[in-house]
Amino acid sequence: MRRRIVAGNWKMNGSKDLVNSLVGQVRSEVASLDNGVEAVIIPPALFVSDVVRLAGGEIAVGIQNIACWDSGAYTGEVSAGMARDSGCDYALVGHSERRQLFGETDQQVAVKVGRALASGLNAVICVGETLEEREAGRAEEVVSAQVRRSVAEVGGDQWHQVVVAYEPVWAIGTGKTATAEDAQAMHAAIRAVLSALGAPADEISLLYGGSVKADNAAALFAQPDIDGGLIGGASLSAADFVSICRAVPGRS
Ligand code: PGA
């Protein structure tokens, strides 16, 4: 059975005050949900330990980026092992902001995925096309290639630690969301790519991200191949984030 995940990527936002006010509220409200959703908070790395402490094991915690290396003279970097040691369960890898603003390549993403999995983290691999690529009719080709290259180092027994987040770049932080039908079509295509690679595709959770809000989450999460969401802006409000967690359909 696939995990139903709603992960909040705070990006470079928030403060100790937000950690202190939001985590406890999300924790108590998510605990009362009976839809089996796994809530994940992914704060800036400096706040990970505080979020872990306040989450009390009831909300999972993630890191937004990890290094390509395990340790050494890489000033400013944080390794997957350190994130795991600090209580993280998840690592985002290859977010489009990392790809676009920091030049991260599919090859680096593949290495980071390998590091995350070897350290015992679940890797949330982010993929997505730009507006230009979509308008040129190349969205599926681009996303499929990103998926294939990003999982190059995944071992046969590590697929259960892999999550893929489809985030069309044109939908991130813009208020524009893919229609539930378009998102579903891409998720089905991603699942087909994973299956062709020999992965247990039916067991891998696929998340949609890009301007998911309380009022559009239910339609997206109702799609058969959309197993949850990766939430940016709306995850900075406890009420909005919990509403999105609540939009995950219950299991029948
Ligand atoms: P958004 O961000 O929800 O603010 O569009 C999503 C993301 O970048 O993960």
Side-chain angles (χ1 to χ4, degrees):
M1 200 155 53
R2 298 201 287 268
R3 284 175 287 170
R4 296 293 211 146
I5 299 166
V6 173
N9 170 18
W10 287 17
K11 310 191 181 189
M12 201 175 75
N13 295 300
S15 60
K16 284 255 193 188
D17 280 350
L18 185 73
V19 170
N20 288 330
S21 63
L22 182 144
V23 179
Q25 197 182 334
V26 170
R27 176 183 169 176
S28 63
E29 294 195 34
V30 165
S32 69
L33 300 179
D34 59 3
N35 58 0
V37 65
E38 181 172 347
V40 186
I41 293 180
I42 311 178
L46 272 178
F47 300 145
V48 158
S49 295
D50 291 311
V51 176
V52 167
R53 179 172 46 79
L54 293 166
E58 292 182 49
I59 307 171
V61 182
I63 189 151
Q64 297 175 9
N65 176 43
I66 51 167
C68 289
W69 310 275
D70 283 335
S71 64
Y74 302 105
T75 301
E77 294 284 283
V78 172
S79 73
M82 292 167 187
R84 185 72 184 135
D85 205 16
S86 299
C88 285
D89 295 303
Y90 286 85
L92 283 187
V93 186
H95 190 279
S96 64
E97 287 151 18
R98 302 279 338 155
R99 294 175 187 265
Q100 296 206 314
L101 303 174
F102 302 98
E104 207 163 286
T105 64
D106 286 336
Q107 285 68 27
Q108 287 169 318
V109 171
V111 170
K112 291 182 179 196
V113 169
R115 296 280 181 223
L117 303 183
S119 298
L121 295 167
N122 298 293
V124 180
I125 304 170
C126 303
V127 295
E129 81 285 359
T130 61
L131 186 58
E132 203 182 8
E133 290 162 341
R134 174 154 287 263
E135 286 177 344
R138 296 183 54 229
E140 195 176 312
E141 171 201 331
V142 167
V143 169
S144 298
Q146 285 176 338
V147 172
R148 270 194 296 273
R149 294 194 199 112
S150 301
V151 300
E153 299 203 8
V154 179
D157 58 349
Q158 292 179 318
W159 286 109
H160 64 282
Q161 292 166 257
V162 170
V163 175
V164 178
Y166 168 57
E167 300 201 302
V169 176
W170 48 269
I172 294 178
T174 58
K176 292 183 193 148
T177 323
T179 63
E181 293 70 25
D182 283 350
Q184 162 58 25
M186 189 63 86
H187 280 232
I190 291 170
R191 210 177 289 290
V193 170
L194 292 169
S195 181
L197 291 170
D202 283 340
E203 292 161 32
I204 296 177
S205 298
L206 305 183
L207 314 183
Y208 171 79
S211 298
V212 177
K213 307 284 178 218
D215 60 3
N216 60 22
L220 289 159
F221 299 168
Q223 300 298 316
D225 286 296
I226 301 183
D227 305 307
L230 181 54
I231 321 302
S235 70
L236 295 166
S237 149
D240 290 348
F241 187 60
V242 170
S243 297
I244 295 169
C245 289
R246 193 174 287 123
V248 167
R251 296 187 191 282
S252 48

